[in-house]
Amino acid sequence: MGGHGMSLLVPLYVHPAEDPGAWHRLITGAARTHAVVLNPASGPGTAPDPAYTAAARALRAAGARLLGYVDTDYGTRDRAEITEEARRHRDWYRTDGCFLDRVTATPAGLPACRRLVRELRRQGAGTVVFNPGVHPAPGYVRLADLTVTFEGHWSTYVSAFTRPSWIARQPPERLCHLVYGVPPALVPLAVRTATERGAGVCGPVTAEGPNPWAALTPALTWPNGVRS
């Protein structure tokens, strides 16, 4: 999935009925994504959503890997709640794995995170993505299939990004940068910057505000998902 060494992680946090055009574009470009994060209700919700069921079916048919959004609240949520939400995603939307948001990044939180991942994989999660949004302790990157080591605004990404020395030794396909507020003309630069900083997966969006992930990355419409 993806092309030319850069893949797109696409969290699309808007209801299909609210922006059907975005979902249509995502389905059309699904084969060019690394994965799509489904987030019906800050998680799977309490019952299947028919609009998401239809969207998930279309995305699978188009070749997308689907990840169910689950908030871990930096290790404060009960493990049983997290695994139950992952189960609902899988049962209702046939997700391939899970996108664990707000993952703790400290060495102290690693043992509990390891137990969580072990249980999720026993349940059938083929892909586990961590989103601490920062560079975590090294063990997290080895534990997950993909780790989001930066989530933040373009201005921060440009001016204040740093990375520990150990991260340069990690395979790029295990690292992801999610950047929002990217000026439209600079989206190609955002993709190149992620590559130069060792991330093989990215998801630059131009939107701002409380939910920038309600909009698609413009990079999805480029040939093969990327542009030089």
Coordinates of all heavy atoms in Angstrom, one line a residue, residues 1-37:
M1 N 0.8 -1.2 0.0 CA 0.0 0.0 0.0 C 0.9 1.2 0.0 O 2.0 1.2 0.5 CB -0.9 0.0 1.2 CG -1.9 -1.2 1.3 SD -3.0 -1.1 2.7 CE -3.9 -2.6 2.4
G2 N 0.3 2.3 -0.5 CA 1.1 3.5 -0.7 C 2.1 3.4 -1.8 O 2.0 2.5 -2.6
G3 N 3.0 4.4 -2.0 CA 3.9 4.3 -3.1 C 5.1 5.1 -2.9 O 5.1 6.0 -2.1
H4 N 6.1 4.8 -3.7 CA 7.4 5.6 -3.7 C 8.0 5.8 -2.3 O 8.5 6.8 -2.0 CB 7.2 6.9 -4.4 CG 6.7 6.8 -5.8 ND1 7.4 6.1 -6.7 CD2 5.6 7.3 -6.4 CE1 6.8 6.2 -7.9 NE2 5.7 6.9 -7.7
G5 N 7.8 4.8 -1.4 CA 8.4 4.8 -0.1 C 7.7 5.6 1.0 O 8.1 5.6 2.1
M6 N 6.6 6.3 0.6 CA 5.8 7.0 1.6 C 4.3 6.6 1.5 O 3.7 6.5 0.5 CB 5.8 8.5 1.3 CG 4.9 9.4 2.2 SD 5.2 9.1 4.0 CE 6.8 9.9 4.2
S7 N 3.8 6.2 2.7 CA 2.4 5.7 2.8 C 1.6 6.8 3.6 O 2.2 7.5 4.4 CB 2.3 4.4 3.5 OG 3.0 3.4 2.7
L8 N 0.3 6.8 3.4 CA -0.5 7.7 4.0 C -1.4 7.1 5.1 O -2.2 6.1 4.8 CB -1.4 8.4 3.0 CG -0.7 9.2 1.9 CD1 -1.7 9.7 0.9 CD2 0.1 10.4 2.5
L9 N -1.3 7.5 6.3 CA -2.3 7.1 7.4 C -3.4 8.1 7.4 O -3.1 9.3 7.5 CB -1.6 7.1 8.7 CG -2.5 6.6 9.9 CD1 -2.9 5.2 9.7 CD2 -1.8 6.8 11.2
V10 N -4.6 7.7 7.2 CA -5.7 8.6 7.1 C -6.7 8.4 8.2 O -7.6 7.5 8.2 CB -6.4 8.4 5.7 CG1 -7.6 9.4 5.6 CG2 -5.5 8.5 4.6
P11 N -6.7 9.3 9.2 CA -7.8 9.4 10.2 C -8.8 10.3 9.6 O -8.5 11.5 9.4 CB -7.1 10.0 11.4 CG -5.7 10.2 11.1 CD -5.6 10.2 9.6
L12 N -10.0 9.8 9.3 CA -11.1 10.7 8.8 C -12.2 10.7 9.9 O -13.0 9.8 9.9 CB -11.6 10.2 7.5 CG -12.7 11.1 6.8 CD1 -12.2 12.5 6.7 CD2 -13.1 10.5 5.4
Y13 N -12.2 11.8 10.7 CA -13.1 11.8 11.8 C -14.3 12.8 11.5 O -14.5 13.8 12.1 CB -12.4 12.3 13.1 CG -11.2 11.4 13.5 CD1 -10.3 11.9 14.4 CD2 -11.1 10.1 13.0 CE1 -9.2 11.1 14.8 CE2 -10.0 9.3 13.4 CZ -9.1 9.8 14.3 OH -8.0 9.0 14.7
V14 N -15.1 12.3 10.5 CA -16.3 13.0 10.1 C -17.3 12.0 9.6 O -16.9 11.0 9.0 CB -16.0 14.1 9.0 CG1 -15.5 13.4 7.7 CG2 -17.3 14.9 8.7
H15 N -18.5 12.1 10.0 CA -19.5 11.1 9.7 C -19.8 11.1 8.2 O -19.8 12.1 7.5 CB -20.9 11.4 10.4 CG -21.8 10.3 10.4 ND1 -22.7 10.0 9.3 CD2 -22.0 9.3 11.3 CE1 -23.4 8.9 9.6 NE2 -23.0 8.5 10.8
P16 N -19.9 9.9 7.6 CA -20.1 9.8 6.1 C -21.3 10.5 5.7 O -21.3 11.0 4.5 CB -20.3 8.2 5.9 CG -19.6 7.6 7.0 CD -19.7 8.5 8.2
A17 N -22.4 10.7 6.5 CA -23.5 11.4 6.1 C -23.3 12.9 6.1 O -24.0 13.7 5.4 CB -24.7 11.1 7.0
E18 N -22.3 13.4 6.9 CA -22.0 14.8 7.0 C -21.1 15.3 5.8 O -21.2 16.4 5.4 CB -21.3 15.1 8.3 CG -21.0 16.5 8.6 CD -20.4 16.8 9.9 OE1 -20.6 15.9 10.8 OE2 -19.7 17.8 10.1
D19 N -20.2 14.4 5.4 CA -19.3 14.8 4.3 C -19.1 13.5 3.4 O -18.1 12.9 3.3 CB -18.0 15.2 4.8 CG -17.1 15.9 3.7 OD1 -17.5 15.8 2.5 OD2 -16.1 16.5 4.0
P20 N -20.2 13.2 2.6 CA -20.1 12.0 1.8 C -19.0 12.1 0.7 O -18.4 11.1 0.2 CB -21.5 11.9 1.2 CG -22.1 13.2 1.3 CD -21.5 13.8 2.5
G21 N -18.7 13.4 0.2 CA -17.7 13.6 -0.8 C -16.3 13.2 -0.3 O -15.6 12.6 -1.1
A22 N -16.0 13.5 1.0 CA -14.7 13.1 1.5 C -14.6 11.6 1.5 O -13.5 11.0 1.2 CB -14.5 13.7 2.9
W23 N -15.6 10.9 2.0 CA -15.6 9.5 2.0 C -15.5 8.8 0.6 O -14.8 7.8 0.5 CB -16.8 8.9 2.8 CG -16.6 9.1 4.3 CD1 -17.0 10.2 5.0 CD2 -16.0 8.2 5.2 NE1 -16.7 10.1 6.3 CE2 -16.0 8.9 6.4 CE3 -15.4 7.0 5.1 CZ2 -15.5 8.3 7.6 CZ3 -14.9 6.4 6.2 CH2 -14.9 7.0 7.4
H24 N -16.2 9.4 -0.3 CA -16.0 8.9 -1.7 C -14.6 9.1 -2.2 O -14.1 8.1 -2.8 CB -17.0 9.7 -2.6 CG -16.9 9.3 -4.1 ND1 -17.4 8.1 -4.5 CD2 -16.3 9.9 -5.1 CE1 -17.1 8.0 -5.8 NE2 -16.5 9.1 -6.2
R25 N -14.0 10.2 -1.9 CA -12.6 10.4 -2.4 C -11.7 9.4 -1.7 O -10.7 8.9 -2.3 CB -12.2 11.9 -2.1 CG -12.9 12.9 -3.0 CD -12.2 14.2 -2.9 NE -12.2 14.8 -1.6 CZ -13.2 15.5 -1.0 NH1 -14.3 15.7 -1.7 NH2 -13.1 16.0 0.2
L26 N -12.0 9.2 -0.4 CA -11.1 8.3 0.4 C -11.3 6.8 -0.2 O -10.3 6.1 -0.4 CB -11.5 8.3 1.8 CG -10.8 7.3 2.8 CD1 -9.3 7.5 2.7 CD2 -11.3 7.4 4.2
I27 N -12.5 6.4 -0.5 CA -12.7 5.1 -1.1 C -12.0 5.0 -2.4 O -11.3 4.0 -2.7 CB -14.2 4.8 -1.2 CG1 -14.8 4.7 0.3 CG2 -14.5 3.6 -2.0 CD1 -16.3 4.8 0.3
T28 N -12.1 6.0 -3.2 CA -11.5 6.0 -4.5 C -9.9 5.9 -4.4 O -9.3 5.2 -5.2 CB -11.8 7.3 -5.3 OG1 -13.2 7.4 -5.5 CG2 -11.2 7.4 -6.7
G29 N -9.4 6.5 -3.4 CA -7.9 6.5 -3.2 C -7.4 5.5 -2.2 O -6.3 5.5 -1.8
A30 N -8.3 4.6 -1.8 CA -8.0 3.7 -0.7 C -6.8 2.8 -0.9 O -6.0 2.6 0.0 CB -9.2 2.8 -0.4
A31 N -6.5 2.4 -2.1 CA -5.4 1.6 -2.4 C -4.1 2.3 -2.2 O -3.0 1.7 -2.1 CB -5.5 1.0 -3.8
R32 N -4.1 3.6 -2.1 CA -2.9 4.4 -1.9 C -2.6 4.7 -0.4 O -1.8 5.5 -0.1 CB -3.0 5.7 -2.7 CG -3.1 5.4 -4.3 CD -2.8 6.7 -5.0 NE -3.9 7.7 -4.8 CZ -5.0 7.8 -5.6 NH1 -5.2 6.9 -6.5 NH2 -5.9 8.7 -5.3
T33 N -3.4 4.1 0.4 CA -3.3 4.4 1.9 C -2.5 3.3 2.6 O -2.6 2.1 2.1 CB -4.6 4.6 2.6 OG1 -5.4 3.4 2.5 CG2 -5.4 5.7 1.9
H34 N -1.8 3.7 3.6 CA -1.2 2.6 4.5 C -2.4 2.0 5.4 O -2.4 0.8 5.6 CB -0.2 3.3 5.4 CG 0.4 2.4 6.5 ND1 1.4 1.5 6.2 CD2 0.0 2.1 7.8 CE1 1.7 0.8 7.2 NE2 0.9 1.2 8.2
A35 N -3.3 2.9 5.9 CA -4.4 2.4 6.7 C -5.4 3.6 6.8 O -5.0 4.8 6.7 CB -4.0 1.9 8.0
V36 N -6.6 3.3 7.1 CA -7.7 4.2 7.4 C -8.2 4.0 8.8 O -8.5 2.9 9.2 CB -8.8 4.1 6.4 CG1 -10.0 5.1 6.7 CG2 -8.4 4.4 5.0
V37 N -8.3 5.1 9.6 CA -8.8 5.0 11.0 C -10.3 5.3 11.0 O -10.7 6.4 10.6 CB -8.0 5.9 11.9 CG1 -8.5 5.7 13.3 CG2 -6.5 5.7 11.8

